[in-house]
C-alpha cells in the first residue's frame, strides 16, 4: 500500500503526527530541508511539497530567511470581541509596533458612504497601517473614519498612538458593536509586500463597520479592511448553549 502512496504524503503524515505528539514544540523550527532529505531519503521537491501542504493545513508557518516553524494554538483571538489589534498582540505576550503607510483625508466613495451613513461629498480619514508582533508583520489594515465626526484626526501620529484610544479619549466615543465579514483570499500586490509574503499566499480578509455612541446616538464610526497572515494568527469563537 505504502508503495502506491506518494512520498510527499508519507512525509507530510509523519511530520503531522510528530507535531500532534508535540515532538516539535510550538513556535520551534522543524528540521531544515537538507536534514529532512537525509532523514527520509527523499528529494528536495518532495520535502517542499510536504511542507507547503502542512503550511496550508495550518500545522506550520514560514518566516522568510529564517525557516519553517510549528504553529501555536496559543496565538488566537476572539472573533467576536471588539479589541484593537495592538491589544491582541499585547495579550499574547508579544511586543506590538506599527508602521503608517497612508494617513490622509479623501472623498468617500459610494460604498464607504453607504457603510458610514454619510454622503459621497463627505470626506473620510483614510489610515493604512502595518501591525508588527515582535517585529514580524501580522496584519495590514485600511480604516476610513468620517471627518465630520472626527475633525483633526489627521494630526495624530498613529504609528505611536492607539486609534480607538484617541476616539474614546479625545472625541468621547464609546464603541458599542461591530459587524464583520470574513473571507479567505490570496495575497496580492502591496498587501503581499507589506506582510512579507509570496504572491498568492493565503490570508484572511476582514471587512468591518464599527459602531459607537456619538452625542447619545449609535452611528457607524469606522469602516475598515484588515488583511491577516494566516500562518501567524488564529481566531476562535466561544459558543454556549
Amino acid at each position: 500500500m505504502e508503495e502506491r502512496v506518494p512520498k510527499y504524503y508519507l512525509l507530510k503524515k509523519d511530520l503531522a503526527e510528530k507535531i500532534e505528539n508535540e515532538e516539535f514544540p510550538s513556535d520551534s523550527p522543524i528540521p531544515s530541508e537538507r536534514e529532512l532529505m537525509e532523514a527520509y531519503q527523499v528529494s528536495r521537491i518532495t520535502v517542499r511539497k510536504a511542507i507547503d501542504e502542512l503550511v496550508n493545513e495550518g500545522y506550520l508557518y514560514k518566516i522568510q530567511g529564517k525557516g519553517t516553524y510549528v504553529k501555536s494554538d496559543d496565538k488566537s483571538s476572539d472573533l467576536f470581541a471588539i479589541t484593537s489589534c495592538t491589544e491582541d498582540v499585547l495579550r499574547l505576550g508579544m511586543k506590538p509596533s506599527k508602521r503608517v503607510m497612508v494617513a490622509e483625508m479623501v472623498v468617500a466613495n459610494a460604498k464607504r458612504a453607504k457603510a458610514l451613513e454619510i454622503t459621497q461629498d463627505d470626506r473620510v480619514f483614510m489610515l493604512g497601517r502595518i501591525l508588527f508582533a515582535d517585529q514580524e508583520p501580522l496584519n495590514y489594515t485600511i480604516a476610513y473614519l468620517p471627518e465630520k465626526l472626527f475633525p483633526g484626526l489627521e494630526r495624530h501620529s498613529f504609528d505611536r498612538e492607539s486609534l480607538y484610544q484617541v476616539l474614546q479619549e479625545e472625541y468621547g466615543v464609546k464603541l458599542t458593536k461591530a459587524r464583520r465579514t470574513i473571507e479567505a483570499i490570496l495575497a496580492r500586490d502591496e498587501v503581499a509586500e507589506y506582510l512579507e509574503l509570496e504572491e498568492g499566499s493565503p490570508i484572511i480578509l476582514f471587512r468591518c463597520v464599527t459602531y459607537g455612541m456619538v452625542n447619545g446616538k449609535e452611528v457607524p464610526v469606522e469602516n475598515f479592511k484588515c488583511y491577516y497572515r494566516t500562518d501567524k494568527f488564529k481566531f476562535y469563537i466561544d459558543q454556549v448553549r
Side-chain angles (χ1 to χ4, degrees):
M1 175 70 73
E2 287 196 354
E3 290 180 357
R4 296 197 296 271
V5 176
K7 290 183 179 180
Y8 84 87
Y9 179 82
L10 295 175
L11 174 57
K12 183 183 82 167
K13 182 179 178 182
D14 192 62
L15 291 176
E17 288 178 356
K18 285 181 165 59
I19 293 170
E20 294 285 356
N21 291 324
E22 298 187 340
E23 293 183 39
F24 300 139
S26 295
D27 291 315
S28 68
I30 65 169
S32 67
E33 288 184 358
R34 174 63 62 184
E35 290 171 328
L36 291 174
M37 289 166 58
E38 293 177 355
Y40 290 89
Q41 292 297 296
V42 293
S43 68
R44 188 179 299 275
I45 293 175
T46 297
V47 170
R48 288 183 175 175
K49 185 170 179 59
I51 289 175
D52 286 345
E53 292 208 359
L54 289 172
V55 169
N56 292 335
E57 292 175 16
Y59 284 96
L60 303 170
Y61 64 92
K62 294 181 179 180
I63 299 179
Q64 288 186 344
K66 293 185 179 180
T68 306
Y69 295 74
V70 178
K71 184 181 285 188
S72 169
D73 288 332
D74 296 332
K75 295 178 180 177
S76 60
S77 178
D78 187 347
L79 189 58
F80 291 152
I82 304 179
T83 57
S84 71
C85 296
T86 299
E87 290 172 329
D88 287 335
V89 173
L90 288 170
R91 183 177 52 79
L92 296 171
M94 306 173 78
K95 182 180 178 181
S97 59
K98 290 166 284 191
R99 181 186 303 160
V100 174
M101 306 308 293
V102 60
E104 61 183 2
M105 288 291 179
V106 298
V107 176
N109 61 23
K111 194 170 185 178
R112 292 177 202 130
K114 182 178 180 180
L116 294 170
E117 297 178 8
I118 58 178
T119 72
Q120 293 185 49
D121 294 328
D122 287 326
R123 296 202 308 170
V124 293
F125 176 60
M126 179 172 65
L127 176 64
R129 295 187 295 180
I130 305 171
L131 175 69
F132 297 84
D134 287 346
Q135 299 183 328
E136 293 287 342
L138 179 63
N139 69 43
Y140 175 60
T141 302
I142 310 173
Y144 302 90
L145 302 98
E147 181 186 29
K148 65 182 183 181
L149 294 182
F150 309 114
L153 200 55
E154 71 278 9
R155 295 196 298 266
H156 288 269
S157 300
F158 286 110
D159 54 344
R160 300 189 301 272
E161 297 180 79
S162 164
L163 176 61
Y164 284 180
Q165 188 174 350
V166 168
L167 297 187
Q168 293 172 30
E169 295 181 359
E170 181 170 330
Y171 296 93
V173 174
K174 180 182 179 182
L175 302 180
T176 55
K177 67 182 182 182
R179 181 175 297 144
R180 290 185 180 185
T181 63
I182 181 174
E183 58 186 295
I185 66 170
L186 302 179
R188 301 292 184 195
D189 304 323
E190 73 273 6
V191 173
E193 178 185 348
Y194 293 162
L195 297 181
E196 297 180 9
L197 294 171
E198 294 182 1
E199 287 263 347
S201 297
I203 58 175
I204 291 175
L205 170 61
F206 284 107
R207 301 179 193 270
C208 179
V209 177
T210 308
Y211 293 78
M213 296 300 296
V214 179
N215 299 322
K217 182 180 179 181
E218 186 179 65
V219 296
V221 297
E222 177 194 33
N223 178 215
F224 73 75
K225 294 189 296 184
C226 184
Y227 303 87
Y228 258 98
R229 287 182 60 156
T230 57
D231 58 347
K232 288 289 188 178
F233 211 64
K234 295 182 179 180
F235 294 90
Y236 67 86
I237 299 173
D238 279 333
Q239 295 181 305
V240 294
R241 182 175 180 178

